Amino acid sequence: IQNSRNAIVKNEVPGNTTIIFLIPEGTHVKKGDLLVELDSSQLDDNRTKQQIIVMNAEAAYIRARENLEVVRNQNESSIAKAELDHRFAELDLVKYREGEYPRELQKSESDINLAREELQRARDKFEWSERLAEEGYLTRTELQADDLAAKRAEINLALAESALQLLKHYTHQRSLDQLTSDVEQTAQALERTRIKTAADLIQAETELKTRESEYKRQQAELEKIEKLIE
């Protein structure tokens, strides 16, 4: 005598598993009755460990996602600052060329003209004082004071002319070179900032994808263990 239908119950849990319950042979059963139960203690331990791994992987994924936003904000700030520095450097150069230098040049030339007029007045006064002194209307001390004033006016004129030459041949060129260099340096700094921020963004995005993939992999492993326990 043989059964008209046979049902094979197969253990799908990998490895060696201990049977902790087995229904007595010959028992009449219906669909859904428990026939055999395997020891799942090792799988329970694995599930607990895997749950911790999943939580750590999820935390790392969240940190990577938040870090990506931080990197984006920092990149925007860094680029904005570098662009502003470059813009200010260009404005400083224009301001010096079109404003500060012409004004300094005009002032130096005005100082020279004023010094020349003061010198001429001092010389005229000294010549007049000499005639008065010859006629006895001025003392020698008064004549020496006017002579000293004329010499002082000569020195002031020489200083004003020297300041103009210094401005034209040294100060102006030095300031122009410095401001031009600032424009070039800030332009290079802006380009370096753009390259660095792009690299930082790629790194942060890659880190996020890696953490997300690891989180999903560990979650899938947990679901696999839970399925094995079931």
Side-chain angles (χ1 to χ4, degrees):
I1 299 175
Q2 295 180 346
N3 294 332
S4 61
R5 288 187 304 164
N6 292 325
I8 298 175
V9 180
K10 183 179 179 180
N11 176 22
E12 297 179 355
V13 179
N16 297 324
T17 309
T18 303
I19 296 175
I20 60 175
F21 169 78
L22 183 64
I23 196 169
E25 187 176 357
T27 303
H28 290 278
V29 297
K30 61 182 180 299
K31 183 176 180 180
D33 289 347
L34 180 63
L35 305 181
V36 59
E37 184 178 359
L38 306 180
D39 182 16
S40 63
S41 59
Q42 182 62 43
L43 288 174
D44 289 335
D45 292 341
N46 291 344
R47 176 171 60 182
T48 301
K49 294 177 182 178
Q50 189 62 28
Q51 285 173 339
I52 296 174
I53 293 175
V54 169
M55 286 189 293
N56 290 334
E58 183 180 14
Y61 168 56
I62 293 173
R63 285 196 302 270
R65 186 173 58 195
E66 292 174 349
N67 180 67
L68 177 59
E69 293 302 316
V70 171
V71 169
R72 284 173 176 166
N73 291 334
Q74 289 178 340
N75 286 354
E76 291 177 0
S77 298
S78 298
I79 291 176
K81 183 180 182 305
E83 289 176 342
L84 193 61
D85 290 342
H86 181 54
R87 178 59 178 162
F88 283 166
E90 290 179 328
L91 290 175
D92 288 341
L93 178 58
V94 173
K95 181 178 69 173
Y96 178 75
R97 280 176 173 171
E98 300 179 2
E100 293 179 355
Y101 175 64
R103 185 174 64 251
E104 292 176 0
L105 186 63
Q106 184 180 12
K107 182 179 181 302
S108 294
E109 292 174 346
S110 297
D111 291 342
I112 291 175
N113 292 332
L114 182 61
R116 283 174 180 168
E117 292 177 2
E118 291 178 349
L119 176 58
Q120 186 60 46
R121 286 197 300 269
R123 285 175 175 173
D124 292 343
K125 183 178 180 182
F126 176 66
E127 292 176 357
W128 177 250
S129 296
E130 281 184 322
R131 289 196 294 269
L132 292 177
E134 290 175 357
E135 297 175 1
Y137 293 106
L138 283 181
T139 64
R140 182 175 180 81
T141 301
E142 291 173 327
L143 180 61
Q144 289 177 343
D146 291 338
D147 183 29
L148 182 61
K151 291 179 179 178
R152 185 181 296 111
E154 290 178 357
I155 295 174
N156 290 338
L157 175 59
L159 289 175
E161 291 175 340
S162 176
L164 177 61
Q165 295 302 315
L166 187 65
L167 174 63
K168 286 183 175 180
H169 301 294
Y170 176 74
T171 307
H172 169 59
Q173 191 60 47
R174 184 181 184 280
S175 299
L176 192 61
D177 290 345
Q178 180 63 55
L179 293 170
T180 302
S181 176
D182 290 343
V183 172
E184 295 173 354
Q185 293 295 327
T186 53
Q188 294 173 4
L190 175 58
E191 184 62 23
R192 288 195 300 269
T193 300
R194 285 173 174 165
I195 294 174
K196 182 180 182 300
T197 53
D200 291 344
L201 182 60
I202 292 174
Q203 182 178 356
E205 290 174 342
T206 302
E207 179 70 11
L208 176 60
K209 292 178 181 178
T210 301
R211 295 301 180 183
E212 182 181 13
S213 177
E214 177 65 13
Y215 169 56
K216 291 180 179 179
R217 188 180 73 84
Q218 296 297 344
Q219 199 169 30
E221 185 66 23
L222 176 60
E223 292 173 356
K224 178 182 177 182
I225 293 175
E226 290 175 341
K227 184 177 181 181
L228 290 176
I229 291 175
E230 182 181 358

